[in-house]
Amino acid sequence: MTNDSARYREVFFAESQEHLQELNDGLLTLEKDPAAEEAINTVFRAAHTIKGMAATMGFQTITTLTHRLEDVLDRLRSHVLSLTPELSDLLFQAVDRLEGFLSDAQAGDEPPLSALEDILPELTRWAGREEKPAAPGAPAAAAPGDGALSPYEAHAIAEGSRQGFQAFFVTVRLAPDCLMKGVRAFLVFQKLEGRGEVLRAEPPVEDLEEEKFADSFRLLFLTREKAVTLKALLAGISDVAAVEVTPVTGQAPAAASAASPPKRAGHGAGGEEKPRHLSTQTVRIDIRRLDNLMNLVGELVITKTRLEQLLLTASSPDLEETMKSLTRVAGGLQDAVMKARMVPLDQVFSRFPRMVRDLARELGREVEFAIEGEDTELDRSVIDEIGDPLVHLLRNAVDHGVEPPADRRQRGKEPTGHVRLSACYEGNHVLIAVEDDGEGINREAVVKKAAERGLISAKEAQELSEEEVYRLLFLPGFSTAAKVTDVSGRGVGLDVVQNKIESLGGSVEVTSRLGEGTRFAIRLPLTLAIIQALLVSLGSETYAIPLESVEEIQVIRRGAVKRVRGREVILLRGEVVPLVYLDALLGVSGAAAPGDEVSIVVVRGSSSRAGLVVSGLVGQREIVIKSLGRFLGNIPGIGGATILGDGRVALILDTGGVLALAEGRNDKRRLAS
């Protein structure tokens, strides 16, 4: 495969994904409003475009499927058909099949035509077509003309002749058993593109696309190519039986010679109008190039930090001024690259309407699904990871949240439940919420299940706050579902959600009212590449705590530390804050701070807060997050590493993981006691 071919394939698959999304969105719109003209036009254009591109790329199965899909959509567009639930399901099934074929083709393994055996007859039936090829000798729907030139054609040929162009009638005859005549005609146009201009098609292009011709068609073509070249070019197309290329020698009609040339959009080979080109303000770029650029910016930030460190020992007015300039430029470059990496959440959100629709139908629910704030942007690395957690939350909302229509009526609700997915900016974070107006979380059922599993005692069950009860839902394997289904009930969903969100440096909060609904709120940092962090020391080692999770810093006397139920705590404005000794938790020796004072960093996780006891406070820094790699990437409580200004490596604490690690130890002690 040549480099050009590979590049075109990438463009084809990238654009096909966009058109697939248009198909899904448009069909969902039509399902709600079958009279939505713009939606039917959009899905028709999407199917037509994929068909054309696939034919150009030589993907026969994809071309065949989209061609028949286009036929059905055309009948919808012409109001010959009405969108019934049966037809809607068939169209969605065809789009799913198309997505699978595209995925296979991208992997270099497009399925054969036999993969359409089950769905093609159904589409054909709805398209109102016969699969039989046109009978040999059958009259053409539009017979070729007699060769007379229109005033425009005569003028264009005359002008082209003065510039070295020659006009030909190109007659293409297809094999009598050719099944996709429209596609072959499209390929003929593709082959001729760039070699001249088609002045006329007999029958017209619309009829060629709709296969309203027998087995031949004719083009009036203006070109600098030789007849033999054109013949060889087109003879190589599959199912083309014969090609006749005849020079046009006729003169322009008298009326045309006296008349001024007609105005026409675009440019002719012999015309004087300047070609018009579509312009765009955006470019597609390989994401690996952006990642590489981000890495280079990260190295620049590390170097800048190193220079700042050196300036502490060898400073001068000139160096300080140069450093300020470097800081300003590096900051601007960093912001620019960050913005280039930001992509709208719509890239993730857009796949959920179809998922919710299918799930609601499977479970017998009536669900009105709404999306808000889909233009909110997040770093690409976060976007790539947020999809699965949202899938879990939405499936839970439909399965556990929204009640069956009969139950909702009994409770005085509308039979149709509402699920809302929204996103908005909140400081340096993005807040994503999944809400439903279903039955809410039954506190008593959660507490009872936790007591049955030995996670809490009867006394503790009475003392748990709402927040602590909801935290139980995130424990591995915890579920209150009465039965396990294909959708949920195994208790792995929320556990996965919390782990993933915390690994992204975010948090999850739950609020619920029994009988009224539940809301899951996810807070995520805008980017994971370069962050502000608080550097702390543990003995001779330095650790970085993401500043977004730091609530405050306290230096207190040891005498202020209290003990509550066997745990050391401090009182902070009347609130009890448990202490976590990082040296003991992470196994760092020699970290105990001498003296009578204790340095504490108060941090907040998903649903709890604690004071991290450290040896000392180093200061706030801008750090570049580096992965630990696959061999060290799964250390509990550690989210990554960074390179400090003096060249040392510092581990970055995963605050949520640290708190979970500490909670786990306390739970074990509590269960053991």
Side-chain angles (χ1 to χ4, degrees):
M1 181 182 297
T2 65
N3 289 336
D4 282 347
S5 298
R7 189 171 68 248
Y8 292 143
R9 278 176 62 92
E10 289 180 6
V11 172
F12 166 68
F13 290 116
E15 293 189 354
S16 293
Q17 287 301 319
E18 296 173 5
H19 294 307
L20 275 175
Q21 192 59 56
E22 289 177 349
L23 280 168
N24 270 312
D25 291 345
L27 290 176
L28 286 170
T29 302
L30 285 173
E31 207 169 43
K32 295 177 181 174
D33 179 13
E37 290 287 340
E38 184 55 35
I40 184 61
N41 288 331
T42 298
V43 295
F44 181 82
R45 284 195 297 268
H48 180 78
T49 305
I50 293 178
K51 181 193 76 174
M53 293 192 303
T56 305
M57 299 301 297
F59 295 126
Q60 190 175 10
T61 307
I62 294 173
T63 304
T64 304
L65 175 59
T66 48
H67 183 60
R68 197 55 78 224
L69 178 62
E70 184 188 36
D71 287 342
V72 178
L73 294 173
D74 187 41
R75 298 193 85 196
L76 278 175
R77 188 175 62 162
S78 306
H79 305 294
V80 176
L81 288 178
S82 298
L83 188 66
T84 63
E86 180 190 1
L87 178 56
S88 178
D89 287 343
L90 177 65
L91 293 175
F92 276 120
Q93 185 185 350
V95 172
D96 288 344
R97 191 69 64 86
L98 177 60
E99 185 173 7
F101 288 171
L102 284 166
S103 177
D104 292 338
Q106 190 171 22
D109 186 24
E110 188 200 20
L113 282 171
S114 59
L116 298 173
E117 286 177 350
D118 56 339
I119 196 170
L120 202 59
E122 277 297 297
L123 289 171
T124 302
R125 182 171 68 83
W126 283 98
R129 286 182 176 274
E130 296 288 339
E131 280 296 273
K132 297 177 184 175
D146 57 6
L149 301 177
S150 70
Y152 166 76
E153 292 165 349
H155 178 79
I157 291 172
E159 287 293 322
S161 178
R162 284 193 283 272
Q163 298 180 32
F165 286 81
Q166 169 68 50
F168 296 99
F169 274 120
V170 180
T171 303
V172 178
R173 298 189 186 282
L174 301 178
D177 58 348
C178 175
L179 293 179
M180 295 187 297
K181 296 181 295 183
V183 175
R184 303 309 168 200
F186 178 82
L187 290 175
V188 168
F189 277 81
Q190 286 290 314
K191 288 286 187 182
L192 295 179
E193 187 177 5
R195 295 174 180 269
E197 183 182 15
V198 176
L199 299 177
R200 185 203 311 172
E202 298 172 352
V205 174
E206 292 77 10
D207 289 347
L208 290 175
E209 289 182 344
E210 296 174 6
E211 300 187 356
K212 294 179 179 176
F213 64 101
D215 57 4
S216 67
F217 58 92
R218 186 170 73 162
L219 307 176
L220 176 57
F221 189 57
L222 191 61
T223 180
R224 281 196 172 99
E225 302 288 352
K226 302 291 186 186
V228 65
T229 304
L230 296 177
K231 196 169 182 179
L233 185 69
L234 302 182
I237 299 174
S238 175
D239 286 334
V240 170
V243 178
E244 297 175 13
V245 181
T246 307
V248 176
T249 57
Q251 298 298 314
S257 60
S260 58
K263 298 288 184 183
R264 190 166 186 261
H267 68 287
E272 295 179 354
E273 293 182 31
K274 294 182 179 179
R276 294 187 301 178
H277 301 286
L278 293 175
S279 62
T280 178
Q281 299 300 314
T282 60
V283 295
R284 292 179 185 273
I285 186 169
D286 192 322
I287 195 65
R288 289 168 294 190
R289 294 188 182 183
L290 279 181
D291 288 342
N292 186 42
L293 187 57
M294 190 69 243
N295 288 334
L296 292 173
V297 171
E299 296 300 322
L300 179 62
V301 171
I302 292 173
T303 304
K304 178 173 72 71
T305 307
R306 175 66 174 155
L307 283 174
E308 290 172 344
Q309 195 86 11
L310 293 174
L311 275 177
L312 296 176
T313 56
S315 180
S316 73
D318 288 344
L319 279 176
E320 288 181 359
E321 190 62 33
T322 304
M323 192 64 215
K324 288 179 183 176
S325 177
L326 175 62
T327 301
R328 188 169 56 253
V329 173
L333 181 59
Q334 181 184 332
D335 286 344
V337 176
M338 290 290 188
K339 287 177 182 175
R341 288 171 56 89
M342 301 293 271
V343 292
L345 275 165
D346 182 56
Q347 290 194 9
V348 180
F349 285 7
S350 59
R351 61 174 144 140
F352 294 136
R354 172 72 191 284
M355 185 197 79
V356 171
R357 176 255 187 202
D358 291 349
L359 190 59
R361 183 166 290 198
E362 178 185 345
L363 296 171
R365 305 288 202 275
E366 293 180 10
V367 177
E368 184 73 31
F369 182 53
I371 291 179
E372 296 175 6
E374 63 270 28
D375 53 349
T376 306
E377 294 184 331
L378 264 178
D379 188 277
R380 186 198 65 85
S381 58
V382 183
I383 289 278
D384 289 345
E385 303 291 335
I386 193 62
D388 287 344
L390 291 179
V391 167
H392 283 298
L393 293 180
L394 287 170
R395 290 170 72 90
N396 275 349
V398 177
D399 191 18
H400 295 309
V402 177
E403 311 95 325
D407 293 352
R408 291 180 66 89
R409 288 192 187 93
Q410 285 182 351
R411 294 169 184 173
K413 294 181 174 180
E414 295 177 355
T416 300
H418 294 81
V419 175
R420 189 168 75 108
L421 174 63
S422 62
C424 64
Y425 294 109
E426 194 179 78
N428 288 327
H429 291 73
V430 165
L431 175 66
I432 302 174
V434 176
E435 303 168 74
D436 67 73
D437 65 347
E439 56 187 329
I441 297 173
N442 188 330
R443 183 186 192 284
E444 300 306 319
V446 175
V447 170
K448 180 181 177 184
K449 180 66 73 173
E452 288 175 358
R453 293 188 52 187
L455 298 173
I456 56 175
S457 66
K459 182 182 178 183
E460 288 173 328
Q462 300 298 322
E463 298 173 350
L464 288 179
S465 65
E466 292 292 320
E467 186 177 325
E468 290 171 324
V469 170
Y470 298 149
R471 279 177 54 198
L472 294 171
L473 297 172
F474 292 94
L475 293 176
F478 190 90
S479 175
T480 58
K483 61 180 181 179
V484 175
T485 68
D486 291 340
V487 177
S488 59
R490 299 184 186 280
V492 295
L494 292 181
D495 177 32
V496 171
V497 169
Q498 178 164 272
N499 288 338
K500 176 58 72 176
I501 297 302
E502 288 186 347
S503 72
L504 295 173
S507 61
V508 187
E509 293 179 5
V510 187
T511 53
S512 181
R513 292 179 68 88
L514 190 61
E516 296 182 14
T518 303
R519 180 177 190 265
F520 287 86
I522 297 174
R523 281 182 178 78
L524 289 167
L526 287 174
T527 180
L528 299 180
I530 299 176
I531 62 171
Q532 292 288 331
L534 175 67
L535 300 185
V536 300
S537 62
L538 278 180
S540 60
E541 298 180 15
T542 301
Y543 289 81
I545 303 174
L547 206 58
E548 62 198 17
S549 59
V550 176
E551 285 195 344
E552 58 183 293
I553 297 170
Q554 292 284 329
V555 179
I556 63 170
R557 293 192 172 279
R558 293 188 184 277
V561 177
K562 311 294 183 186
R563 294 190 74 83
V564 175
R565 297 170 62 186
R567 288 192 68 173
E568 292 192 354
V569 301
I570 59 172
L571 285 175
L572 206 56
R573 293 182 288 281
E575 187 177 347
V576 176
V577 178
L579 296 183
V580 175
Y581 285 85
L582 278 181
D583 56 343
L585 192 70
L586 302 177
V588 180
S589 58
D596 192 37
E597 292 186 337
V598 181
S599 298
I600 296 171
V601 181
V602 181
V603 297
R604 177 169 285 279
S606 294
S607 53
S608 62
R609 66 196 294 236
L612 305 182
V613 181
V614 300
S615 303
L617 305 167
V618 178
Q620 179 181 334
R621 296 284 190 279
E622 189 176 51
I623 63 170
V624 180
I625 299 177
K626 298 287 186 183
S627 170
L628 291 175
R630 58 178 177 172
F631 295 111
L632 299 174
N634 222 2
I635 302 176
I638 303 298
T642 188
I643 301 174
L644 301 177
D646 57 5
R648 290 185 300 150
V649 174
L651 294 176
I652 303 170
L653 296 182
D654 167 17
T655 311
V658 167
L659 296 184
L661 204 58
E663 288 293 328
R665 290 192 174 189
N666 285 322
D667 287 344
K668 289 179 181 176
R669 287 175 192 161
R670 188 165 51 197
L671 290 173
S673 61

